[in-house]
Amino acid sequence: MPSPASPTDAPQRSRFSWTYFASPATFYPLAGAMIPWFAAAAALLCAAGLYVGFFVAPTDATQGESYRIIFIHVGAAWMSMFLYVVMAFWAVIGLAWNTRLAAMMASAIAPTGALFTFLALWTGALWGKPTWGTWWVWDARLTSELILLFLYIGFMALQAAIDDPRRADRAGAVLAIVGVINVPVIYFSVQWWNTLHQGASVSVSRAPSMAATMFLGMILFALGFWMYSIAAALARARSIMLERERRTDWVVSEVRKAT
Amino acid sequence: MNWGSFEAFVAMGGYGLYVWGSYLVTAAGLAIEIALLVARRRRTLRMLARLHGAERP
């Protein structure tokens, strides 16, 4: 692992103070060192998920083979909710302490969160057509997930519309924080409104009401998408750091190292 | 889960359109995002090289 930026760049802080990696200059090389590991974990977990999902998990008694969409549908849906909460968390940190790196992390997560929200809606529609007989219905779960997609897109559009990065961070943070209430709404929508979408087969309070191999395939993909999201967000954060701190010395040394 | 033949695997019990439609779009989405990330990094490094190259050749 390459050593973080030389101490002359970062203010004089011992490496083990918990804010040592809170500055772009020191976090940039650390993130760079971590990305390959997360990317490799993502590839392995998704490959294992594909194998278990298609070659180990049996045919479903009632749905036949169409249920195999569950492996990526649930993984994408969990990621869409989880990433929004993580984005809101960084938004709060960035707003409260006015730290640049926290705000950059929030901006780095949004596109990946939007992608998984779209994939959750897409795979859900393709699973709904054969099993429910329709691509879309204004069901509580589906509608709140669609709102989540609009929140992600709104966050990205709002930040893109404001030139000054610091003001864009604050505006985006407020939207992210306001929108985070939608995540529990999505999660509990199947119980509160009990419309078409089925209830949770997996919950923290009781054992999953699923066959073990089906559950394993789903967990493998969920973990794989999680590792992927970390790698993607860190990669995007590094680009954001380089762009926003393009006049600093540490960026100059990074560019010289990279080219 | 023994599929018997590649054709059966592709047919996916008659749900091939839906299952492969889901998996291919998901794979495409991830691939496109990775491509965008790589392209953004290259573009940023080129911009920085121009920016700093010009000042201190």
Side-chain angles (χ1 to χ4, degrees):
Chain A
M1 183 173 112
S3 70
S6 60
T8 50
D9 293 329
Q12 286 313 318
R13 281 178 302 212
S14 77
R15 174 186 285 244
F16 300 104
S17 84
W18 69 285
T19 56
Y20 178 78
F21 289 111
S23 81
T26 47
F27 184 65
Y28 179 89
L30 176 67
M34 292 195 296
I35 289 172
W37 295 94
F38 285 115
L44 281 174
L45 286 163
C46 286
L50 277 172
Y51 176 72
V52 168
F54 283 101
F55 299 104
V56 174
T59 306
D60 184 68
T62 51
Q63 290 190 34
E65 307 301 346
S66 64
Y67 90 96
R68 293 184 195 276
I69 297 174
I70 193 173
F71 303 122
I72 47 175
H73 177 65
V74 170
W78 282 351
M79 273 302 109
S80 70
M81 293 190 280
F82 174 68
L83 288 179
Y84 195 94
V85 172
V86 173
M87 184 171 83
F89 165 77
W90 286 121
V92 167
I93 301 285
L95 209 54
W97 282 279
N98 203 13
T99 45
R100 309 187 311 278
L101 187 52
M104 291 186 207
M105 279 308 294
S107 309
I109 290 168
T112 304
L115 170 65
F116 278 121
T117 308
F118 164 74
L119 290 177
L121 290 166
W122 174 269
T123 53
L126 263 70
W127 190 7
K129 182 59 179 168
T131 43
W132 292 342
T134 173
W135 301 104
W136 178 263
V137 64
W138 293 104
D139 157 273
R141 166 63 58 86
L142 280 68
T143 309
S144 47
E145 183 79 12
L146 184 63
I147 291 167
L148 186 68
L149 181 62
F150 293 149
L151 279 169
Y152 273 120
I153 293 170
F155 177 87
M156 293 188 281
L158 178 63
Q159 292 214 320
I162 300 171
D163 293 334
D164 169 22
R166 303 298 297 136
R167 278 187 54 240
D169 289 344
R170 275 193 299 280
V174 168
L175 175 59
I177 292 163
V178 164
V180 85
I181 187 64
N182 183 41
V183 174
V185 167
I186 297 173
Y187 188 75
F188 294 110
S189 59
V190 281
Q191 287 148 23
W192 293 342
W193 289 286
N194 195 10
T195 41
L196 188 54
H197 193 283
Q198 66 267 30
S201 336
V202 173
S203 80
V204 287
S205 53
R206 51 177 173 67
S209 56
M210 281 174 70
T213 48
M214 294 178 184
F215 178 67
L216 175 61
M218 201 170 70
I219 292 302
L220 284 170
F221 264 111
L223 291 173
F225 284 170
W226 184 21
M227 293 300 109
Y228 168 85
S229 304
I230 296 173
L234 287 180
R236 186 172 296 113
R238 275 165 53 99
S239 289
I240 293 174
M241 284 184 241
L242 287 179
E243 288 153 14
R244 281 172 62 166
E245 312 231 326
R246 54 187 173 280
R247 299 215 173 279
T248 59
D249 290 339
W250 75 270
V251 166
V252 173
S253 65
E254 285 299 334
V255 170
R256 197 157 294 133
K257 248 187 276 181
T259 50
Chain B
M1 174 71 202
N2 180 351
W3 287 100
S5 75
F6 181 68
E7 286 69 24
F9 181 70
V10 170
M12 196 49 64
Y15 296 108
L17 169 70
Y18 305 110
V19 173
W20 302 120
S22 300
Y23 277 83
L24 290 177
V25 167
T26 300
L30 300 179
I32 288 167
E33 183 177 32
I34 292 169
L36 289 175
L37 285 168
V38 170
R40 179 170 183 171
R41 179 167 171 78
R42 273 207 203 103
R43 198 172 60 244
T44 301
L45 287 177
R46 260 203 315 275
M47 175 270 286
L48 291 172
R50 251 199 331 278
L51 181 70
H52 295 298
E55 281 159 6
R56 282 193 294 275

